[in-house]
Every structure is written in C-alpha cells, then in structure tokens.
C-alpha cells in the first residue's frame, strides 16, 4: 500500500509512503516550534501542501483550522485571532493571497509560516521544503488522545459572528465508523475531493478515503462547476458534492445517460436535493446509489441519510425535495416545538439531535 497513490491533484500524485513521511516531518517541525495541543492554521485549497499539513498537524497532537483565502480579510483576521493561531502551514501562492490579512494591525502576529513542499522566497524566514526535508519522520504519538481536538471549523456567520465548532478525534472516529458501515468499497477505490477544507464534508472525503485504502482525487478549481469530464477521466467511484453542482451539470447537458459508469456511490449534502436532480443523476450514473446526507457542523459532518432509488421516481416529495432520511446508528433526531416538546405529526418544529 505504501507505494500506491493516496492523493492525486491533476498530474501530481503522492503515495501513502510519501504522505506518511512528509506529514511526519511537518509534525516534528511543529513540535520543534513548541506547538502543543494548539490550533494550527491550514492555508489554501486543492494543493498538496494542505493535505500534508492537515495530517502533520494531527500527528503533532494539535488541531487544524482551515483558512480559506477566498474569505474576506475581516473573516480571516477573525479566525486567526479567535483561534490564537501562531503557526501556519500552506503553499507559497496561498500565503500570498492572505498577505493583506496577515499584515493588518488588527491581526495577531504569526510566529512561523511553513511551506513543506516548496522553497520559500528569499529572506522570508519561512520554514520551507529544504528545512522540512532535513527532519526525521519517526513520530511519537503517545501524547495524542481521543479527547483531543482534531479540528475547529468556522461557520459562515450568516446569522451573526462566525463561531468555531470544536470537533474531537473521538468525534471523527465515531463518524468514520458510522459511514464505513454504509459503503462497501474495494481497495484502491477513487474518491472525489470537491469540498473546500473550510466546509466539513471535506473531513469525510479525506479521512474516509485514507482510512480505507483509496485514492483521494482532488477536483481542480477550474472544473468545480461542471466536473463531468473529471469524473470520467479519473474513473471516480465515490462522488460527493453539493446538489447545486449536479443541477448546474444538468442544465449544461452534462448528465447524459450512463455518462458515469464508474460511480458506485453519489453523495449529496449541504443543500436541498431536488427530486428531478436525483432522477437526472441516476440516469447518468446507473451503477450508483444516490444518497442525500444531512448534518450540522456541530454533529461531525453527517448524521442522517436518505437513499434515493428508482422506486422513488413514482413518489411525490414535499416541494420536490428528497428527505434527509433517518439518523445513523447511535444518533437520535426529533422535531421539537417552541416549548422544546416533541412536535406532533405534520407539525412544524426544529430538529434536535443527540448521540
């Protein structure tokens, strides 16, 4: 397995052996800088350094905080200050994209920037590839526990100030156990990585794939809005995206019948999945199950799913929206009214989740 691909970005590949080595070297570098069970910023998207950084942070016994360069300067500063981030891991290009935020007087001072796969600009003072490559890759994991944080994911802040949702190693392990019981995949399967690291379905993409001997195939930025060629070219077995992408592909006539024979599971999340979209995807991916997943960030990615099949074609769903389905094992979901009492049948309420 060490010689097999773990991550593929266009023509760039990283074997499992290479991923373990590079991530361990990043972990040892973080420890050398005094990092201990603290927030480490991961800057950038769809770059190998981001994935090496995520695993390196976890191997160091710390937790990662995604910093998406697409965010506003104010949001980036808010995340850095709120998490008390002192160390950043990323690539040269994405560091340049957040330079304005880092140089702002309102932003806390970053102690070090780490570019594990590239040489840093001269006189930058960054810890770059040359520095990282000099580190050993034997790693001590004895100080890591299930109760330690794995990541902090910041909400969009659409209803107020963005909040950092804390998720532990135990939460992620429990989630992976739940979804691993839902899907049957062969060794060396190929999983898409569509979601930005700042959106928690990326956690499922990355860790489910790496824990089950698959290859994580990262969707290039320029193909995100119509990834039909990507799915065919990479022979993807598990696809995961928001439904809007499927709707866009359908409008662009990119969901021809039997277009995606390699797909076994098609996972949609983050938005309402319309029945007509599910129907179109079923025709394009006749060998695939179409699954609608639901879960707030606080509950560790997903907590419920509905599997849409050909027999659902004759059903009429409310507002043409596929249901969010039933909760995973060891989870409970109920609707409660304004007095926090269980709502009656056909009554409106808020979803309450435990487990």
């Amino acid at each position: 397995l060490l010689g097999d691909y773990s991550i593929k970005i266009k023509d760039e590949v990283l074997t499992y052996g290479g991923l373990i080595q590079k991530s361990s070297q990043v972990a040892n570098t973080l420890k050398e800088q005094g990092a201990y069970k603290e927030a480490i910023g991961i800057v950038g998207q769809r770059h190998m350094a981001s994935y090496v950084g995520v695993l390196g942070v976890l191997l160091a016994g710390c937790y990662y905080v995604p910093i998406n360069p697409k965010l506003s300067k104010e949001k980036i500063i808010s995340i850095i200050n709120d998490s008390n981030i002192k160390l950043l891991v990323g690539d040269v290009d994405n560091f340049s994209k957040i330079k304005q935020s880092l140089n702002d007087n309102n932003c806390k001072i970053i102690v070090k920037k780490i570019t594990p796969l590239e040489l840093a600009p001269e006189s930058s003072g960054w810890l770059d590839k040359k520095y990282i490559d000099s580190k050993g890759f034997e790693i001590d994991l004895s100080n890591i526990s299930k109760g330690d944080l794995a990541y902090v994911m910041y909400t969009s802040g659409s209803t107020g100030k963005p909040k950092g949702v804390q998720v532990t190693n135990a939460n992620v392990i429990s989630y992976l156990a739940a979804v691993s019981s839902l899907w049957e995949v062969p060794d060396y399967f190929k999983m898409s990585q569509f979601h930005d690291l700042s959106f928690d379905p990326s956690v499922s993409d990355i860790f489910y794939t790496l824990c089950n001997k698959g290859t994580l195939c990262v969707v290039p930025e320029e193909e995100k809005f119509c990834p039909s060629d990507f799915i065919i070219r990479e022979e993807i077995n598990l696809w995961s995206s928001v439904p809007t992408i499927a709707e866009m592909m359908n409008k662009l006539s990119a969901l021809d019948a039997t277009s995606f024979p390699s797909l076994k599971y098609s996972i949609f999340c983050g938005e309402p999945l319309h029945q007509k979209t599910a129907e179109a995807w079923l025709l394009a991916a006749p060998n695939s199950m179409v699954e609608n997943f639901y879960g707030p960030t606080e509950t560790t990615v997903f907590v419920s799913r509905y599997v849409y099949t050909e027999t659902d074609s004759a059903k009429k769903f409310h507002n043409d929206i596929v249901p969010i389905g039933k909760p995973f094992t060891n989870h409970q979901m109920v609707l409660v009214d304004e007095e926090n009492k269980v709502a009656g049948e056909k009554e409106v309420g808020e979803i309450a989740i435990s487990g």
Side-chain angles (χ1 to χ4, degrees):
L1 183 65
L2 292 178
D4 293 304
Y5 297 156
S6 62
I7 302 173
K8 186 175 187 293
I9 306 176
K10 296 183 179 178
D11 295 329
E12 184 183 7
V13 294
L14 190 61
T15 65
Y16 273 87
L19 178 63
I20 292 168
Q21 177 176 330
K22 288 293 183 185
S23 300
S24 297
Q25 289 174 317
V26 169
N28 286 329
T29 299
L30 291 170
K31 288 182 176 182
E32 184 186 75
Q33 295 299 310
Y36 181 74
K37 297 185 185 296
E38 65 185 70
I40 310 294
I42 300 295
V43 179
Q45 311 287 333
R46 305 176 198 287
H47 193 286
M48 203 68 81
S50 302
Y51 302 97
V52 168
V54 165
L55 265 67
V57 168
L58 295 175
L59 290 173
C62 296
Y63 56 96
Y64 73 93
V65 180
I67 299 175
N68 192 334
K70 300 174 187 174
L71 298 173
S72 67
K73 182 179 79 169
E74 291 72 24
K75 179 79 179 283
I76 290 172
I77 292 172
S78 172
I79 290 173
I80 291 173
N81 290 350
D82 191 60
S83 299
N84 197 29
I85 291 172
K86 301 183 184 70
L87 298 164
L88 298 174
V89 182
D91 60 279
V92 173
D93 180 53
N94 279 298
F95 277 149
S96 69
K97 291 177 181 176
I98 67 165
K99 183 178 180 179
Q100 189 178 9
S101 299
L102 299 180
N103 290 339
D104 192 284
N105 291 332
N106 293 319
C107 187
K108 288 184 178 178
I109 296 174
I110 299 297
V111 176
K112 283 291 181 184
K113 301 185 188 77
I114 301 170
T115 56
L117 303 179
E118 298 171 282
L119 295 177
E122 289 186 19
S123 305
S124 66
W126 301 355
L127 304 180
D128 63 4
K129 180 181 185 298
K130 185 177 180 180
Y131 185 91
I132 298 293
D133 287 350
S134 70
K135 300 300 161 189
F137 49 89
E138 290 186 2
I139 193 79
D140 178 14
L141 305 177
S142 60
N143 70 325
I144 301 174
S145 70
K146 289 184 177 180
D148 291 340
L149 290 179
Y151 61 85
V152 171
M153 202 76 67
Y154 277 80
T155 60
S156 64
S158 56
T159 57
K161 182 182 177 182
K163 62 178 177 178
V165 177
Q166 298 177 320
V167 177
T168 66
N169 291 328
N171 294 146
V172 177
I173 291 167
S174 176
Y175 169 76
L176 292 174
V179 292
S180 292
S181 68
L182 304 179
W183 304 321
E184 293 183 10
V185 293
D187 290 352
Y188 318 116
F189 69 94
K190 294 181 178 180
M191 170 88 193
S192 67
Q193 211 279 283
F194 168 86
H195 306 285
D196 285 352
L197 296 186
S198 52
F199 186 31
D200 66 332
S202 64
V203 173
S204 185
D205 298 345
I206 296 169
F207 295 107
Y208 176 81
T209 303
L210 297 181
C211 288
N212 288 279
K213 305 178 184 178
T215 299
L216 188 70
C217 298
V218 181
V219 182
E221 189 71 35
E222 62 270 20
E223 292 188 271
K224 275 188 66 178
F225 293 104
C226 190
S228 52
D229 289 344
F230 169 85
I231 295 171
I232 296 167
R233 181 176 70 248
E234 301 294 347
E235 298 181 318
I236 299 297
N237 307 124
L238 275 79
W239 171 259
S240 176
S241 75
V242 291
T244 297
I245 299 303
E247 292 172 9
M248 180 78 72
M249 293 166 70
N250 196 26
K251 289 178 181 177
L252 294 173
S253 301
L255 294 183
D256 295 332
T258 68
S259 295
F260 311 137
S262 65
L263 285 182
K264 303 299 180 187
Y265 299 96
S266 301
I267 302 149
F268 295 101
C269 60
E271 302 166 346
L273 173 62
H274 291 95
Q275 187 172 12
K276 61 182 179 182
T277 305
E279 285 286 318
W281 196 273
L282 267 183
L283 290 173
N287 302 320
S288 172
M289 297 174 67
V290 173
E291 307 187 357
N292 188 35
F293 279 81
Y294 168 80
T297 305
E298 291 86 345
T299 61
T300 314
V301 196
F302 309 133
V303 289
S304 73
R305 73 160 181 165
Y306 185 94
V307 179
Y308 189 91
T309 65
E310 291 180 357
T311 58
D312 288 310
S313 299
K315 296 178 182 177
K316 205 166 186 180
F317 296 121
H318 184 65
N319 289 336
D320 183 47
I321 294 174
V322 176
I324 62 172
K326 295 182 178 180
F328 294 168
T329 304
N330 299 327
H331 288 77
Q332 299 79 43
M333 294 172 64
V334 295
L335 282 182
V336 295
D337 59 22
E338 292 181 354
E339 297 179 354
N340 281 334
K341 294 179 180 178
V342 177
E345 187 175 350
K346 295 186 178 181
E347 287 185 352
V348 174
E350 290 188 318
I351 298 175
I353 304 168
S354 66

